[in-house]
Amino acid sequence: MGKMAAALGSAATLAAEPGEDAFRKLFRFYRQSRPGTADLGGVIDFSAAPTARGARPGVPQVVRSQLSVCSVSESDALRAGLQPVSTWRAYGLEGYPALTVFPPLMYDWLMWEGVTAFRGPAGIVDGMVGFIFIPNPFLPGYQWHWVKQCLKFYPQKPNVCNLDKHMARDKDQDVWEQSKALLRCKEVTKRRPRSLLEKLRWVTLGYHYNWDSKKYSADHYTPFPSDLAFLSEQVAAACGFQGFQAEAGILNYYRLDSTLGIHVDRSELDHSKPLLSFSFGQSAIFLLGGLRRDEAPTAMFMHSGDIMVMSGSSRLLNHAVPRVLPSAQEDSLPLCLEAPLPADLPRDTVVQPCSVEDRQLCASYLKTARVNMTVRQVVATDQDFPVEAPGENERDIAQEGICHLEDKITHGKRVRLDPDS
């Protein structure tokens, strides 16, 4: 207990030191943290019935969140590979940040940005309204469908990924097929070349995000995967967002030394709709901050199968992933991934069978990796993209910009990941 208090105290002291902003300091603290030590004593674990304990010093109180149980039928949940919504556990963070009174200009900016989930008189925002964390609501074995989609099918054309510039434009090269032989090798050594799948860092779906301009474009769109759209619609409806339309997806592929830099997802034109995040594979530390970088973030674990929803006033908060955590037993999978996908699937499910070979290859990848899917609605139902000057949003895959995933390099330094690295 004393070590945990010391860890919490050191993190709080670090955040309060002058100079670098509080978020960046704690990002560095958790990036260098040691799994299994008191370094992680201040990280919230939503899978461990957190409301049963009293709030720890410096850590926001975890509270239960109400879901719209009647909005998703048990049959629709089953079609997406989810347990009935009535069995889900959902949590929020109480008073994080505390009730804040913003000056008029900040209030006007929030309204302009689409933050509409206000409570109380004008100018007062309950800072964590709309943050919902749902520990793994998937049925046993059903995560394998989504992992297989992320590794085998979603990186295929017409979707866009960071490997496109490496591939001949006149050939339909398959990342999965080119990686199978290397993934079958049980021992990973420094001499073994990395497969294309192990070099995959991001994939975009639907409206394709332009990393250079930080914008979406009406003329750069390919059909959004119907299975992922259905899953997202059910989760959004359970959280009170009926009518949510999955229009854009960004998939991030993490190795054990990867990080996700501090950022705000503000590129969507409609901020009144939630951002949905799905995690698979190894666990990670997620930092959720405030509207400003000088506000110290709250740290929480994201385990395989966990879903996070950022909406309302939490939609535009700073967040980051400073650390992917290796499994306690080297090269092993989370317990929730031990069960295979059932052979007998419901007749109308969006989930597809997963062969033994596909599951083995996915498992080989996930033993040292994490995959995250984020899904967004880009425009409101009656909204159009703004008219852009000719050439303003033109892009060339071969000259694609910098991804916001960061990879560790030697001597403890980290650089932003260029797509051709």
Side-chain angles (χ1 to χ4, degrees):
M1 191 68 178
K3 291 182 178 179
M4 181 182 294
L8 290 171
S10 63
T13 300
L14 183 66
E17 289 178 354
E20 195 175 27
D21 64 73
F23 201 127
R24 174 59 64 178
K25 291 173 186 174
L26 288 177
F27 183 96
R28 288 192 293 106
F29 175 83
Y30 284 111
R31 184 183 64 185
Q32 299 164 5
S33 61
R34 297 161 296 170
T37 70
D39 287 354
L40 306 184
V43 184
I44 295 172
D45 191 345
F46 288 99
S47 66
T51 58
R53 302 189 301 267
R56 288 169 287 173
V59 179
Q61 175 68 49
V62 175
V63 295
R64 291 297 294 264
S65 293
Q66 297 298 316
L67 295 173
S68 182
V69 175
C70 297
S71 297
V72 180
S73 67
E74 290 193 14
S75 60
D76 280 344
L78 178 60
R79 287 184 62 199
L82 297 166
Q83 300 176 40
V85 177
S86 60
T87 67
W88 297 8
R89 294 172 297 140
Y91 301 100
L93 297 173
E94 186 176 69
Y96 174 73
L99 193 67
T100 305
V101 179
F102 292 102
L105 286 178
M106 176 64 77
Y107 175 79
D108 292 341
W109 177 81
L110 286 168
M111 290 292 290
W112 182 78
E113 288 283 4
V115 181
T116 56
F118 294 103
R119 289 183 179 178
I124 299 181
V125 181
D126 190 346
M128 195 41 66
V129 173
F131 172 74
I132 303 173
F133 195 105
I134 305 170
N136 184 17
F138 289 93
L139 290 163
Y142 278 76
Q143 289 186 50
W144 286 114
H145 167 79
W146 302 107
V147 172
K148 182 191 68 176
Q149 296 297 88
C150 289
L151 300 182
K152 185 175 182 178
F153 293 110
Y154 293 159
Q156 294 182 12
K157 291 294 141 194
N159 302 326
V160 178
C161 75
N162 66 290
L163 297 177
D164 287 342
K165 64 185 298 184
H166 297 285
M167 300 181 181
R169 298 196 179 204
D170 58 344
K171 294 182 180 180
D172 184 16
Q173 300 193 50
D174 190 324
V175 173
W176 175 265
E177 290 299 324
Q178 292 191 36
S179 303
K180 287 167 64 172
L182 290 174
L183 287 176
R184 288 192 186 101
C185 299
K186 294 185 178 180
E187 293 186 6
V188 178
T189 65
K190 292 183 178 179
R191 295 181 179 179
R192 196 207 81 173
R194 288 191 301 164
S195 66
L196 277 180
L197 196 55
E198 291 167 312
K199 297 178 182 179
L200 187 63
R201 290 296 176 264
W202 54 263
V203 170
T204 57
L205 311 171
Y207 288 114
H208 296 286
Y209 185 69
N210 186 318
W211 302 103
D212 288 331
S213 66
K214 311 291 188 201
K215 293 180 180 180
Y216 297 96
S217 172
D219 57 6
H220 193 209
Y221 174 85
T222 57
F224 193 91
S226 59
D227 57 346
L228 182 54
F230 184 78
L231 170 69
S232 302
E233 289 161 6
Q234 307 318 304
V235 172
C239 294
F241 292 93
Q242 289 80 10
F244 174 84
Q245 298 178 18
E247 296 178 329
I250 297 178
L251 315 183
N252 283 328
Y253 300 79
Y254 297 76
R255 308 305 297 172
L256 292 179
D257 55 358
S258 298
T259 69
L260 178 66
I262 306 168
H263 68 286
V264 175
D265 292 288
R266 67 172 81 253
S267 298
E268 295 72 34
L269 302 182
D270 181 11
H271 294 151
S272 67
K273 299 299 188 293
L275 183 150
L276 311 180
S277 173
F278 303 85
S279 292
F280 303 106
Q282 300 301 320
S283 299
I285 298 174
F286 181 82
L287 297 181
L288 183 62
L291 292 169
R292 303 187 308 272
R293 291 271 292 267
D294 59 1
E295 297 178 55
T298 294
M300 59 197 76
F301 290 114
M302 293 194 73
H303 301 304
S304 191
D306 289 350
I307 299 175
M308 189 172 60
V309 180
M310 295 176 66
S311 64
S313 54
S314 75
R315 180 65 174 75
L316 296 172
L317 297 182
N318 285 284
H319 53 279
V321 177
R323 189 85 157 88
V324 177
L325 301 168
S327 55
Q329 297 181 343
E330 188 175 355
D331 289 347
S332 64
L333 293 172
L335 292 177
C336 64
L337 290 174
E338 289 188 345
L341 181 66
D344 296 326
L345 297 172
R347 182 175 301 177
D348 58 349
T349 182
V350 301
V351 174
Q352 298 296 315
C354 183
S355 69
V356 173
E357 181 189 35
D358 283 354
R359 178 171 173 258
Q360 289 174 343
L361 293 174
C362 289
S364 175
Y365 176 87
L366 282 187
K367 286 178 179 178
T368 57
R370 170 182 182 257
V371 179
N372 179 253
M373 309 187 301
T374 57
V375 179
R376 312 105 189 283
Q377 179 169 334
V378 177
V379 295
T381 305
D382 57 350
Q383 187 179 21
D384 294 321
F385 280 90
V387 177
E388 297 179 343
E392 181 179 346
N393 209 44
E394 289 181 358
R395 60 195 295 282
D396 182 355
I397 294 295
Q399 301 296 325
E400 187 68 28
I402 294 174
C403 176
H404 57 241
L405 264 180
E406 300 175 324
D407 263 18
K408 189 195 301 182
I409 58 174
T410 55
H411 310 299
K413 298 179 181 179
R414 293 178 184 247
V415 295
R416 289 192 177 275
L417 174 66
D418 191 283
D420 63 358
S421 63

